[in-house]
Amino acid sequence: MYHRGKPIGTIAATTLDPLEDALNYNQVFMRDFFSAGISFLVAGEPEMVKNFLLMAVQLQGNEKQVDCFTLGEGVMPASFKVTVDPATKHETVEADFGEAAIARVAPVDSGFWWIVLLRAYTHSTGDHSVANSPQCQLGIIRCLNLCLKDGFDTFPTLLCADGCSMIDRRMGIYGYPLDIQSLFYMALRCGKELLRREGDVTEFVDRIDKRLHALTFHMRQYFWLDHKQLNNIYRYKTEEYSFTAVNKFNIMPDSLPDWVFDFMPNKGGYMVGNVSPAFMDFRWFTIGNFLAITSSLATPQQSQAIMDLVEARWDEIIGEMPVKCAYPALEGEEWRIITGCDPKNTRWSYHNGGSWPVFLWFLTAAAIKAGRPQIARRAVEVAERRLYEDDWPEYYDGKLGRTIGKQARKLQTWSISGYLLSKLLLEDPSQVTMLCMDEDKRCRTNPLAKSSSYSGGGGSCDKGCRPTMVPGHAHSVHSPSCPLSNPNIRNNSEGGYCGL
């Protein structure tokens, strides 16, 4: 797409059938352009990426209104398009902030993708002028300030509505969806790196630091699931009222779905889809788990365990067309209640267990970061058997991804760019550094501490004390000399968790 003679992005899909309604596939989407933008950077063609970044932050300043309600100034558009007045030939860029979207949901992920792409552009080109420009510095602050404001939340994770991200239809991800939390963490780290420490910005960066510390612990500790933790949840006690409760979210063991016991290998693990009061979504979500690896939200051990699970459950996650959006699919009464009988998200289709070629780049970046590129090569080889022949569909249906999606558009830009970027990264793995981050040493935690204390093994807290069991109770407490024996410190959501 061009504006005043300059390329400003790539449209979502090319319409093969002239009678087919373009809908909004002829627009530039923030999330869709990301993999295309990185591909251009790897190829040494950064001009379009720079233009896209500047156009997006310019649109961020627009007034955003849905009916009678005005959105926050930091919200980035879901998509934009260029319209031309036939009489005057004047070009106008029109943005959609959710007011035209299905179900009228504002995109939480758009601003995060913009920040991550800005950091990738800066790393790839060495050009700091874009990130250091007043409009981009303000854009970063506006976007992250939306997420760092005080509220009623007792968790450092970001509360979201259903349909606010790549999964833009009702799929039961409202609350604290993993895909958003991983991307939020990545955007916080990129924003912290890009912001110039001047005046009040230093205080703002301190707020980012505190949130990062709390978010890191929360995700590694409460979202992580492996065979040992699954067994712990299976044996959880409920209705614990104390500062030392083990089952902090009051998860009911009977809520464990039957499939998760078969899905979980003895060696391997993953981050669950959602954790909130009395609720844990045990589904596998591809974006969140692979971004957790590339951003170092997952520990090195957890990263290896995620890749172990991908290998162990190859047919379920990769199948005959990589990669599943989520696993397993919602079916029957569960599908009717959670999706609202959505005819597009039927079982093993679209977001509900469909297979999306664009996720190849997520897998590839994560595999390279984890030192296991052979997993990505194998997946790319699987995709190559059909993608070109099938005209690059948006998604595939079925348990194994054998069938082109029943409503899938062909010549889908991010299906092409996801495959292309995977090939480019495998040819030159050093390019993955613009996407990846090293582990933040200050945020190291022991993700298995809770499991150890529950099983009675004690284990050492990261403050150096060895928690002891309370007679007659199924939990342990810290020694009086440990600062974490103070409940006001231990339960401080702004960074006072054990291990920070």
Side-chain angles (χ1 to χ4, degrees):
M1 183 175 287
Y2 288 81
H3 177 55
R4 296 175 182 170
K6 293 183 178 181
I8 58 170
T10 53
I11 62 173
T14 300
T15 303
L16 289 172
D17 185 353
L19 298 178
E20 189 175 37
D21 189 353
L23 296 175
N24 56 357
Y25 283 88
N26 61 353
Q27 299 187 25
V28 178
F29 278 80
M30 302 289 286
R31 67 179 71 100
D32 291 43
F33 178 72
F34 185 88
S35 53
I38 299 295
S39 298
F40 279 110
L41 291 177
V42 174
E45 301 177 26
E47 181 193 2
M48 184 189 298
V49 180
K50 177 180 179 180
N51 296 339
F52 170 86
L53 292 167
L54 294 174
M55 176 56 67
V57 76
Q58 179 182 327
L59 294 171
Q60 184 194 39
N62 290 3
E63 183 178 352
K64 302 170 275 286
Q65 191 160 326
V66 178
D67 293 332
C68 301
F69 183 72
T70 302
L71 277 66
E73 63 178 0
V75 177
M76 285 280 188
S79 62
F80 58 84
K81 63 180 179 180
V82 176
T83 59
V84 182
D85 187 304
T88 63
K89 304 300 180 184
H90 178 71
E91 294 182 357
T92 304
V93 181
E94 297 179 0
D96 175 17
F97 292 93
E99 65 268 35
I102 297 170
R104 305 297 185 267
V105 182
V108 173
D109 61 336
S110 288
F112 299 157
W113 285 122
W114 178 81
I115 293 174
V116 177
L117 183 60
L118 178 60
R119 186 245 190 193
Y121 170 85
T122 305
H123 272 245
S124 175
T125 64
D127 176 13
H128 293 263
S129 64
V130 177
N132 289 341
S133 65
Q135 61 265 45
C136 285
Q137 290 286 301
L138 181 59
I140 296 170
I141 291 172
R142 279 176 168 174
C143 178
L144 295 182
N145 191 49
L146 279 175
C147 313
L148 297 176
K149 289 181 178 178
D150 294 332
F152 289 99
D153 270 322
T154 53
F155 315 131
T157 39
L158 196 62
L159 183 63
C160 303
D162 221 340
C164 66
S165 61
M166 179 269 170
I167 299 178
D168 58 0
R169 302 171 75 90
R170 185 172 155 189
M171 270 289 290
I173 64 165
Y174 54 85
Y176 305 92
L178 173 66
D179 290 359
I180 288 293
Q181 310 314 320
S182 293
L183 188 55
F184 176 39
Y185 173 85
M186 203 168 186
L188 285 172
R189 289 200 60 183
C190 291
K192 176 186 171 184
E193 181 181 322
L194 295 171
L195 285 172
R196 301 172 65 184
R197 310 306 199 264
E198 296 176 351
D200 294 339
V201 176
T202 302
E203 182 181 345
F204 187 77
V205 172
D206 288 340
R207 290 170 60 196
I208 292 177
D209 251 337
K210 288 181 179 179
R211 189 62 169 266
L212 277 170
H213 283 212
L215 183 62
T216 303
F217 176 84
H218 186 92
M219 296 299 297
R220 292 176 177 180
Q221 188 84 352
Y222 301 124
F223 274 67
W224 182 249
L225 187 71
D226 55 17
H227 190 269
K228 181 178 181 180
Q229 181 61 8
L230 180 61
N231 208 134
N232 290 340
I233 296 172
Y234 181 70
R235 291 166 49 82
Y236 265 167
K237 289 179 170 59
T238 59
E239 311 300 329
E240 294 180 286
Y241 180 78
S242 72
F243 289 117
T244 55
V246 173
N247 186 3
K248 296 181 185 297
F249 296 90
N250 201 32
I251 305 300
M252 304 297 166
D254 287 345
S255 69
L256 280 163
D258 292 338
W259 64 263
V260 75
F261 293 95
D262 295 326
F263 182 70
M264 181 62 71
N266 289 327
K267 180 184 177 184
Y270 65 103
M271 288 191 174
V272 297
N274 214 317
V275 178
S276 58
F279 173 68
M280 183 174 283
D281 185 346
F282 293 92
R283 285 177 292 175
W284 157 278
F285 286 89
T286 287
I287 293 178
N289 274 284
F290 289 153
L291 284 186
I293 295 176
T294 55
S295 66
S296 288
L297 173 59
T299 66
Q301 295 77 15
Q302 289 173 342
S303 297
Q304 293 301 322
I306 292 171
M307 301 311 295
D308 287 339
L309 182 133
V310 171
E311 285 195 307
R313 297 293 175 259
W314 187 265
D315 287 344
E316 289 86 347
I317 296 173
I318 305 299
E320 295 187 19
M321 180 53 66
V323 180
K324 278 275 180 281
C325 178
Y327 181 89
L330 302 171
E331 303 184 64
E333 190 65 17
E334 190 177 36
W335 166 78
R336 283 189 285 274
I337 293 172
I338 292 178
T339 73
C341 300
D342 187 349
K344 195 167 186 177
N345 271 333
T346 53
R347 63 177 186 171
W348 306 114
S349 181
Y350 205 51
H351 302 134
N352 189 17
S355 301
W356 295 66
V358 63
F359 294 151
L360 273 172
W361 84 259
F362 289 89
L363 170 60
T364 301
I368 293 173
K369 172 79 179 332
R372 297 167 74 170
Q374 71 278 5
I375 296 177
R377 289 195 186 95
R378 182 182 170 193
V380 168
E381 288 172 2
V382 171
E384 285 177 330
R385 297 170 192 163
R386 292 192 56 185
L387 268 179
Y388 177 77
E389 181 181 302
D390 292 343
D391 288 326
W392 310 96
E394 182 180 16
Y395 64 95
Y396 287 75
D397 288 351
K399 274 191 175 182
L400 294 175
R402 286 180 174 177
T403 310
I404 296 175
K406 58 186 174 182
Q407 297 186 43
R409 295 292 177 114
K410 294 191 175 183
L411 293 185
Q412 189 80 15
T413 302
W414 68 355
S415 293
I416 300 170
S417 61
Y419 165 77
L420 175 63
L421 181 54
S422 294
K423 295 286 283 187
L424 291 171
L425 292 177
L426 288 170
E427 288 174 6
D428 184 4
S430 67
Q431 296 285 355
V432 85
T433 55
M434 75 173 83
L435 293 166
C436 294
M437 300 165 192
D438 294 329
E439 185 179 13
D440 189 341
K441 300 298 190 293
R442 294 170 303 170
C443 293
R444 280 184 171 173
T445 61
N446 178 8
L448 301 180
K450 183 174 63 165
S451 300
S452 299
S453 67
Y454 177 79
S455 62
S460 297
C461 100
D462 289 343
K463 293 295 182 183
C465 83
R466 188 169 182 82
T468 56
M469 297 301 296
V470 178
H473 296 272
H475 57 254
S476 57
V477 297
H478 297 268
S479 65
S481 61
C482 177
L484 295 168
S485 63
N486 182 341
N488 294 325
I489 296 176
R490 184 174 58 250
N491 294 280
N492 178 4
S493 65
E494 283 301 309
Y497 287 113
C498 179
L500 301 181

